[in-house]
Amino acid sequence: GADVFLDAVNRKYLCSLYHADSTNTELSELTGQRVETVSRRLKKLRELGLVDFRREGVTVINFLTPFARLTLEREQVDVGVEKVAVNVQKKLNIASREVAGHMKSFVGFGRKAL
């Protein structure tokens, strides 16, 4: 659970990936750990549903899952420069009220008969 986020090493990984998707080598440089150690740690974080990866050619790019990103934000985990605002939804709701009504409705572009 939440203790995964409190672990100092995990937090380095998660906060780094919060800011930018990264390769194992990049994470190794950021954490000061060997690439092999990074790979093992990422495997555990993948099993927990916090991290996933995609391939770009031969490069493996690691990224946070939406669940991990949301959990970091909800728990107000310090992700570096400043704490992530948990009240983003409130701000969006306020901004939504300020948008003109005609801007909120979807206007489709239907096909007209020739």
Side-chain angles (χ1 to χ4, degrees):
D3 54 333
V4 171
F5 291 95
L6 298 177
D7 176 276
V9 178
N10 282 344
R11 186 161 34 220
K12 275 187 181 178
Y13 284 80
L14 297 172
C15 292
S16 173
L17 291 171
Y18 183 88
H19 291 292
D21 300 351
S22 305
T23 66
N24 289 19
T25 304
E26 291 166 338
L27 285 170
S28 171
E29 292 167 4
L30 286 165
T31 60
Q33 296 184 325
R34 294 179 25 232
V35 175
E36 295 81 9
T37 306
V38 169
S39 295
R40 280 195 298 277
R41 180 73 64 150
L42 287 171
K43 182 179 182 207
K44 288 180 183 175
L45 292 173
R46 275 196 305 274
E47 289 169 357
L48 292 169
L50 301 174
V51 174
D52 206 347
F53 70 94
R54 67 179 180 278
R55 293 189 186 276
E56 293 181 3
V58 295
T59 306
V60 174
I61 309 290
N62 302 289
F63 60 92
L64 283 186
T65 62
F67 168 75
R69 184 170 294 277
L70 186 63
T71 303
L72 283 171
E73 292 170 357
R74 276 202 183 133
E75 298 296 322
Q76 294 187 21
V77 172
D78 187 351
V79 291
V81 182
E82 58 184 293
K83 291 194 180 201
V84 177
V86 186
N87 60 355
V88 170
Q89 190 58 51
K90 288 180 191 172
K91 289 180 180 177
L92 287 174
N93 290 344
I94 291 167
S96 176
R97 280 186 242 128
E98 295 172 359
V99 173
H102 72 278
M103 297 294 289
K104 292 180 184 179
S105 62
F106 175 76
V107 179
F109 296 97
R111 220 183 257 184
K112 293 188 179 209
L114 296 175

